Amino acid sequence: MQRAPLIEPIAWRGDWRTGVVEMLDQLLLPGEEVLRRYSSAREVAEAIRSMVIRGAPAIGIAAAMGMALAARDSRATDLETLRQELDAAGTLLGATRPTAVNLFWALERMRRRFEELARNGLSGAAEGLHAESLAILAEDIAANRRMGQLGAALIPEGARILTHCNAGALATGGYGTALGVIRACHERALQSGGPAIHVWVDETRPYLQGARLTAWECAKEGIPATLITDNMAGHFMQRGEIDAVLIGADRIAANGDVANKIGSYSVAVLAAYHNIPFYVAAPYSTLDRETASGEQIVIEERSAAEVTDIKGLRIAADIAVRHPAFDVTPAKLIAAIITDRGVVRAPYLESLAGLF
Ligand code: MRU
């Protein structure tokens, strides 16, 4: 029997006509667990932009629900007007965060579903789009559980795993991608009574998704974990205290290059130097066949304040700042990519294409 999820980052509360989108405010974690409610596409777009919700799959789910709200709130009396309103909502939601491809994948899936529903006229469109957004959420959780099973088979019992950023329940519909695989390893150890796994949690400067979110998830679920700052990873690898690295992804190019949270590339280079396997876990919706290689991936630049300040307190001198929020790990540094459709290895151009 599967346990009820302890962490639910996003849900639709109520029926399709009067419901709202509820999100756990990730800006306030780990200090406070506050649920926020959104009732328009504009509000959802702001929640994504400000990172109340974040993580590639979760952003996609939020955008899909934003589209459902836009359809529900429409007063259009003809299909063409509704189509234009949905296009506008899609543009608004799509302008929030450029790197996570799940956002654009979800918007495109909602657009295609609208065109299918439109064949039967205006009346069922809003209800149908609401159902589609719930399907995207449910499919994401199922994909994560499947990745958990497939990924756990790669990780030995008792392994000490380094993860970067938060690729957990919070970054998805629930359960998580990289942290989902770690969850599955933890569940396996509990069931078998075998040696426990241990997670090294990279703090993940500047936004601290590791220290704030992954650490919170591990504590909440009793997964043994230790927090380190990003610049400590090499030290623990050198001492033989890290057996594997497991991260999520915001976009995987056709050749297997992976865009993920800034700092992932540095960890991959360190792992290669120390002969430690570097794994990426991501659902089908993160695979971007249209982008040939990592060089073409747009890297989001975020505000300088997220680098110079922590919780409103200035920690840096007055100086120029760069803040790329993601970097690209070349495919050649990746031991395997764990997807819900199977585990693939190099050469990725062929193995990823085989998943479609
Ligand atoms: O800027 P964020 O917090 O949205 O970045 C999230 C990440 O980089 C995650 O590692 C990635 O989305 C994978 S999440 C399953």
Side-chain angles (χ1 to χ4, degrees), residues 225-239:
T226 303
L227 177 66
I228 56 174
T229 60
D230 301 341
N231 51 1
M232 295 175 187
H235 169 74
F236 288 109
M237 287 184 184
Q238 191 181 45
R239 293 171 70 119

Side-chain angles (χ1 to χ4, degrees), residues 26 29-31 163-166 170 200-219 226-230 310:
Q26 299 192 29
L29 291 173
T163 192
H164 190 73
C165 193
N166 172 266
L170 291 168
W200 290 104
V201 178
D202 253 0
E203 172 191 44
T204 318
R205 276 282 290 154
Y207 216 65
L208 305 177
Q209 286 94 332
R212 294 189 300 110
L213 308 176
T214 300
W216 179 78
E217 284 198 32
C218 289
T226 303
L227 177 66
I228 56 174
T229 60
D230 301 341
I310 292 184

Side-chain angles (χ1 to χ4, degrees), residues 61 87 124 151 172 180-181 213 231 251 300:
I61 295 159
D87 281 351
T172 62
V181 173
L213 308 176
N231 51 1
R251 189 183 291 244
E300 175 182 4

Side-chain angles (χ1 to χ4, degrees), residues 126-339:
E127 189 174 4
L129 287 181
H130 167 255
E132 191 70 6
S133 70
L134 296 192
I136 290 174
L137 169 62
E139 286 168 26
D140 184 66
I141 297 171
N144 289 340
R145 288 196 175 273
R146 173 106 186 101
M147 279 186 280
Q149 293 311 311
L150 293 172
L154 301 174
I155 307 290
E157 285 192 339
R160 298 152 303 171
I161 308 159
L162 177 83
T163 192
H164 190 73
C165 193
N166 172 266
L170 291 168
T172 62
Y175 201 75
T177 59
L179 202 54
V181 173
I182 290 170
R183 265 195 178 83
C185 293
H186 175 63
E187 287 164 7
R188 176 179 67 190
L190 289 181
Q191 275 158 18
S192 69
I197 52 130
H198 191 94
V199 190
W200 290 104
V201 178
D202 253 0
E203 172 191 44
T204 318
R205 276 282 290 154
Y207 216 65
L208 305 177
Q209 286 94 332
R212 294 189 300 110
L213 308 176
T214 300
W216 179 78
E217 284 198 32
C218 289
K220 199 156 180 96
E221 301 211 353
I223 302 173
T226 303
L227 177 66
I228 56 174
T229 60
D230 301 341
N231 51 1
M232 295 175 187
H235 169 74
F236 288 109
M237 287 184 184
Q238 191 181 45
R239 293 171 70 119
E241 296 190 42
I242 296 176
D243 302 308
V245 178
L246 198 39
I247 64 158
D250 283 76
R251 189 183 291 244
I252 302 180
N255 72 344
D257 290 349
V258 168
N260 193 56
K261 181 52 53 194
I262 190 74
S264 300
Y265 169 57
S266 314
V267 178
V269 172
L270 280 171
Y273 183 80
H274 293 93
N275 276 320
I276 296 167
F278 183 95
Y279 298 115
V280 175
Y284 180 69
S285 53
T286 307
L287 305 178
D288 179 9
R289 276 199 294 175
E290 310 298 318
T291 298
S293 76
E295 278 164 42
Q296 285 98 50
I297 297 176
V298 177
I299 301 292
E300 175 182 4
E301 287 267 350
R302 292 188 63 88
S303 79
E306 288 173 3
V307 175
T308 56
D309 296 34
I310 292 184
K311 289 206 171 282
L313 180 69
R314 177 95 189 180
I315 54 163
D318 190 12
I319 187 168
V321 173
R322 287 292 303 274
H323 181 189
F326 301 94
D327 58 25
V328 173
T329 298
K332 67 176 176 215
L333 298 180
I334 299 168
I337 299 177
I338 303 153
T339 80

